[in-house]
């Protein structure tokens, strides 16, 4: 495990879809243990595991019923302890996913609240409705519908920014914060070396008022006490630990807040996830539409965050994919004959940026979106909700399905494609079927076919990870966007002391010319997704479809 988070790479595992060790159709902790050597071969320093705690699984584990117990579907506490130890033996630290904005309505705290216990009712937001009996505010759940659920017993509503079975915690209550700290310390004592905090910037609510301009997010995003709460959690738990890294998932956040969330000296978090760059194929904040990706906006957002965070000595997590996102090669690249080139191009852009790269399982082999053709094949609660909502708004079932096919979170949740066997090596043939369908292209896109192929997407990721460790300019250097207005080229310069790096990528599947390219005299090409040198004519670079290249030089100071 690399002690310097700037040189580190994190590999995200969604256990439910990673590897099924016992043939029940669900991925599990022992399945992760079985694949530790694969992750070590890739070169990752940390494994981020999405939640595997006891849960009714209404939101695939993000509805936690008990933070101290392992859901039997994933294994046992002994399995988790073995995973931590086996990871440590291979130099891999474990990062656990902690969901502290809300709990499952089956959590003991909420059960006691519903029994009328005033101590536990204050763990949540129970509020009287308006005089006409309607919900306290017009806030909308992120999964669709009202963010309030009526409880007849109390003649009150409780807040759930997500699913109705996910009740928001009241961080204003010091007793809630005390319980959260106990949970973090418990897992630190088990040897956990990192924490990812789910939608952590939503925990401070500003006021309970109607939102005349939208869905309520301005009243609970980056709220008035958020920095106080994070600093308090840092000082009482992971901040006192030995080399523990943390990352906050920041929903609809502002860069100005992230200067503090992930500032080198602010004492809150090591780094942050922001998602603005993954909304360039949205219409505003509306996800469930079909619009082309705005490449110019993508560059503006990524470069804005890169330079802004650098100026304030704050740190980004850099990524394309996770369990909540479509597969990037389908989203911004190609599933056709240029699939490999586009997958490598997209990897180059992210891994040479300033920040800690995150790789989502299967991204390193170029896994694509689902090939589902019927809504019954989808498992995600959000996808089913919006399939219904889109039709209620007047869309046909076929049009609603097409939008779900493009944007569903299930695109990132189909089983990891280990080999070309019937169930892609996720689970053994002859036993239970996987909990969600396997993509038919696993016969061609799979880890077994790539680990032995030096030209594979997998080995390209290995080279990018090795380059980050080798060159301080990647892990520590400044960043300068190049030719931001070019309609096809994504390019930037990194500098650190006497080291200089130029990264250029053609974002599209057609030839392009880069007339604004810098002089490359004295540079050597250290990585590229096409063999040989990149062609130059009359001082312009001629980039092939989806071509990406990295040039490096050292200068005398």
């Amino acid at each position: 495990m690399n002690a310097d988070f700037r040189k580190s790479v994190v590999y995200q595992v969604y256990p439910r879809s990673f590897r099924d060790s016992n043939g029940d159709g669900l991925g599990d902790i022992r399945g992760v243990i079985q694949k530790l050597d694969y992750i070590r071969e890739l070169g990752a320093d940390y494994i981020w595991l999405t939640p595997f705690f006891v849960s009714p699984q209404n939101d695939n584990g993000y509805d936690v019923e008990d933070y101290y117990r392992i859901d039997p579907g994933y294994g046992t506490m002994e399995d988790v302890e073995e995973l931590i130890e086996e990871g440590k033996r291979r130099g891999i630290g474990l990062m656990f996913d902690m969901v502290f904005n809300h709990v499952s309505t089956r959590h003991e705290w909420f059960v006691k609240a519903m029994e009328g216990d005033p101590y536990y009712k204050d763990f949540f937001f129970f509020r009287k409705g308006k005089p006409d009996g309607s919900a306290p505010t017009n806030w909308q759940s992120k999964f669709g519908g009202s963010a309030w659920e009526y409880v007849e017993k109390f003649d009150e509503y409780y807040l759930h920014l997500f699913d109705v079975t996910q009740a928001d915690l009241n961080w204003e209550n010091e007793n809630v914060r005390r319980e959260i700290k106990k949970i973090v310390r418990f897992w630190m004592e088990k040897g956990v070396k990192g924490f990812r905090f789910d939608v952590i910037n939503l925990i401070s609510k500003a006021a309970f008022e109607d939102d005349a301009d939208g869905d309520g997010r301005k009243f609970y995003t980056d709220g008035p006490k958020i920095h106080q709460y994070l600093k308090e959690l840092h000082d009482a738990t992971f901040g006192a630990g030995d080399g523990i890294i943390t990352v906050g998932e920041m929903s609809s956040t502002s860069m100005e807040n992230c200067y503090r969330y992930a500032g080198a000296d602010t004492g809150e978090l090591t780094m942050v996830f922001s998602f603005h760059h993954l909304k360039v194929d949205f219409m505003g904040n509306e996800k469930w539409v079909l619009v082309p990706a705005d490449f110019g906006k993508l560059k503006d957002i990524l470069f804005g965050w890169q330079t802004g965070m650098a100026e304030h000595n704050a740190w980004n997590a850099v990524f394309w994919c996770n369990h909540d996102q479509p597969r990037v090669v389908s989203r911004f690249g190609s599933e056709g004959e240029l699939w490999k080139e586009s997958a490598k191009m997209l990897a180059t852009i992210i891994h040479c940026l300033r920040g800690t790269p995150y790789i989502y399982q299967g991204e390193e082999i170029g896994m694509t979106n689902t090939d589902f053709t019927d809504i019954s094949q989808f498992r995600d609660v959000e996808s089913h909700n919006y399939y219904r909502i889109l039709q209620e708004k007047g869309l046909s079932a076929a049009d609603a399905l097409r939008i779900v096919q493009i944007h569903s979170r299930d695109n990132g949740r189909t089983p990891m494609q280990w080999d070309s066997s019937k169930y892609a090596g996720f689970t053994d043939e002859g036993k239970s079927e996987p909990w969600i369908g396997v993509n038919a292209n696993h016969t061609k896109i799979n880890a077994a076919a790539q680990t032995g192929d030096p030209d594979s997407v997998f080995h390209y990721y290995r080279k990018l990870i090795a380059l980050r460790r080798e060159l301080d300019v990647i892990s520590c250097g400044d960043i300068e966007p190049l030719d931001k207005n070019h309609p096809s080229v994504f390019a930037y310069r990194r500098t650190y002391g006497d080291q200089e790096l130029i990264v250029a990528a053609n974002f599209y599947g057609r030839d392009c010319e880069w007339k604004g390219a810098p002089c490359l005299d004295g540079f050597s090409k250290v990585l590229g997704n096409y063999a040989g040198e990149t062609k130059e004519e009359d001082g312009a670079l001629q980039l092939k479809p989806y071509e990406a290249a990295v040039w490096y030089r050292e200068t005398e100071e």
Side-chain angles (χ1 to χ4, degrees):
M1 185 172 63
N2 201 307
D4 186 348
F5 63 85
R6 296 172 300 178
K7 288 184 175 292
S8 296
V9 172
V10 181
Y11 186 85
Q12 184 192 351
V13 167
Y14 188 70
R16 191 177 183 89
S17 298
F18 193 61
R19 165 65 184 156
D20 170 21
S21 71
N22 61 5
D24 65 357
L26 300 172
D28 47 50
I29 297 300
R30 297 219 64 81
V32 182
I33 295 171
Q34 290 175 356
K35 297 298 182 179
L36 282 173
D37 287 337
Y38 169 85
I39 298 171
R40 179 176 62 179
E41 182 183 358
L42 178 64
D45 301 280
Y46 295 87
I47 296 172
W48 156 25
L49 287 163
T50 55
F52 47 81
F53 309 112
V54 170
S55 165
Q57 299 293 327
N58 290 321
D59 188 21
N60 284 286
Y62 283 85
D63 47 330
V64 178
E65 182 178 335
D66 191 328
Y67 294 99
Y68 296 101
R69 292 169 48 224
I70 312 306
D71 194 293
Y74 290 118
T76 65
M77 181 64 79
E78 289 73 24
D79 293 334
V80 172
E81 291 168 344
E82 183 179 342
L83 174 61
I84 293 169
E85 187 57 36
E86 288 297 315
K88 180 180 178 181
R89 198 164 64 82
R90 291 166 174 82
I92 300 172
L94 272 294
M95 172 186 281
F96 283 8
D97 202 331
M98 309 309 292
V99 188
F100 289 149
N101 176 71
H102 47 263
V103 295
S104 166
T105 51
R106 283 170 41 175
H107 193 288
E108 179 185 22
W109 301 339
F110 193 80
V111 170
K112 289 184 175 179
M114 291 294 283
E115 291 171 352
D117 186 328
Y119 179 84
Y120 286 103
K121 275 195 75 178
D122 195 38
F123 271 44
F124 304 94
F125 295 104
F126 283 91
R127 295 290 185 273
K128 289 291 184 183
K130 293 175 181 176
D132 65 359
S134 62
T137 72
N138 65 349
W139 298 4
Q140 293 295 296
S141 160
K142 290 178 180 289
F143 289 172
S146 174
W148 295 95
E149 179 70 6
Y150 182 65
V151 179
E152 184 176 4
K153 176 180 179 179
F154 304 135
D155 189 26
E156 291 176 327
Y157 293 78
Y158 69 85
L159 179 68
H160 61 93
L161 294 182
F162 294 87
D163 188 61
V164 67
T165 64
Q166 293 167 292
D168 276 52
L169 286 167
N170 175 16
W171 278 66
E172 289 278 345
N173 184 342
E174 186 178 356
N175 294 318
V176 169
R177 304 200 302 277
R178 185 180 298 116
E179 292 293 339
I180 297 298
K181 293 168 194 171
K182 284 169 58 178
I183 294 163
V184 174
R185 284 193 290 264
F186 174 85
W187 289 109
M188 285 173 59
E189 290 169 4
K190 292 282 187 184
V192 172
K193 301 303 290 184
F195 295 98
R196 181 261 192 189
F197 295 109
D198 184 65
V199 293
I200 194 66
N201 65 320
L202 307 186
I203 60 175
S204 174
K205 278 65 173 178
F208 291 98
E209 303 172 9
D210 276 348
D211 185 355
D213 303 317
D215 53 15
R217 70 182 62 201
K218 71 181 181 182
F219 290 110
Y220 58 73
T221 303
D222 301 321
K225 294 185 179 180
I226 181 63
H227 297 289
Q228 172 193 325
Y229 294 158
L230 286 179
K231 182 73 165 59
E232 183 181 315
L233 184 62
H234 169 280
D235 292 349
T237 60
F238 53 81
D242 180 23
I244 294 176
I245 67 167
T246 54
V247 58
E249 181 196 25
M250 301 298 169
S251 174
S252 303
T253 190
S254 71
M255 198 185 311
E256 290 71 25
N257 272 292
C258 289
Y259 299 156
R260 294 179 63 184
Y261 292 142
D265 303 313
T266 56
E268 294 187 23
L269 301 170
T270 310
M271 64 192 86
V272 291
F273 285 120
S274 62
F275 296 89
H276 299 74
H277 66 295
L278 294 178
K279 296 181 179 180
V280 297
D281 53 358
F282 288 18
M283 187 177 291
N285 277 318
E286 176 54 47
K287 166 180 173 179
W288 301 97
V289 293
L290 291 183
V291 295
D294 186 331
F295 178 54
K297 185 178 180 181
L298 176 71
K299 288 199 286 185
D300 286 344
I301 292 170
L302 276 176
F303 284 140
W305 277 81
Q306 284 282 294
T307 56
M309 293 288 276
E311 287 168 3
H312 290 82
N313 201 19
W315 199 250
N316 283 303
V318 290
F319 70 104
W320 288 125
C321 299
N322 64 33
H323 61 287
D324 285 335
Q325 299 293 333
R327 292 287 182 177
V328 70
V329 72
S330 299
R331 191 172 191 175
F332 299 139
S334 171
E335 294 182 2
E337 62 181 62
L338 293 171
W339 157 78
K340 182 188 294 187
E341 288 79 7
S342 69
K344 292 179 178 180
M345 177 274 292
L346 291 162
T348 307
I349 287 175
I350 285 295
H351 279 256
C352 293
L353 289 173
R354 180 185 182 274
T356 298
Y358 283 65
I359 300 168
Y360 179 63
Q361 64 184 48
E363 180 183 349
E364 77 284 1
I365 59 171
M367 280 179 61
T368 67
N369 279 354
T370 72
D371 54 359
F372 296 163
T373 57
D374 190 275
I375 192 63
S376 65
Q377 294 172 281
F378 290 86
R379 299 290 178 264
D380 178 32
V381 59
E382 181 189 40
S383 299
H384 281 272
N385 284 350
Y386 274 94
Y387 179 70
R388 171 182 50 80
I389 290 168
L390 289 169
Q391 291 179 78
E392 289 172 353
K393 290 181 176 179
L395 270 69
S396 68
D399 287 342
L401 178 62
R402 183 60 184 150
I403 292 172
V404 169
Q405 288 171 325
I406 296 295
H407 288 297
S408 174
R409 300 189 299 180
D410 280 343
N411 283 308
R413 298 177 180 182
T414 56
M416 176 66 182
Q417 293 168 199
W418 294 108
D419 59 38
S420 61
S421 61
K422 182 179 179 181
Y423 296 138
F426 165 71
T427 193
D428 295 332
E429 293 186 43
K431 297 188 177 180
S432 298
E433 290 188 8
W435 71 279
I436 190 171
V438 175
N439 197 317
N441 67 16
H442 74 275
T443 57
K444 295 182 179 179
I445 301 175
N446 62 72
Q450 293 195 30
T451 51
D453 176 6
D455 188 46
S456 66
V457 178
F458 176 84
H459 279 282
Y460 194 83
Y461 270 83
R462 290 190 71 213
K463 291 173 184 176
L464 283 165
I465 293 169
L467 206 60
R468 170 169 288 269
R469 292 203 181 98
E470 178 187 345
L471 301 179
D472 290 341
V473 67
I474 298 178
S475 57
C476 304
D478 295 329
I479 185 164
E480 174 195 356
L482 298 174
D483 207 349
K484 284 178 61 177
N485 295 322
H486 195 289
S488 300
V489 173
F490 194 112
Y492 52 92
R493 185 196 318 269
R494 304 292 310 278
T495 54
Y496 184 73
D498 63 350
Q499 299 181 7
E500 185 175 357
L501 199 79
I502 301 290
V503 179
N506 177 3
F507 205 75
Y508 293 99
R510 56 183 181 268
D511 292 333
C512 82
E513 182 176 68
W514 185 20
K515 292 182 179 179
C519 176
L520 294 174
D521 289 349
F523 284 86
S524 58
K525 187 175 177 180
V526 292
L527 191 61
N529 61 349
Y530 281 86
E533 293 299 319
T534 302
K535 187 178 180 181
E536 287 188 76
E537 284 183 3
D538 300 325
L541 282 179
Q542 308 297 319
L543 296 172
K544 298 182 181 71
Y546 295 120
E547 182 172 3
V550 181
W551 295 271
Y552 173 76
R553 74 174 178 182
E554 293 183 15
T555 58
E556 294 184 7
E557 291 189 289

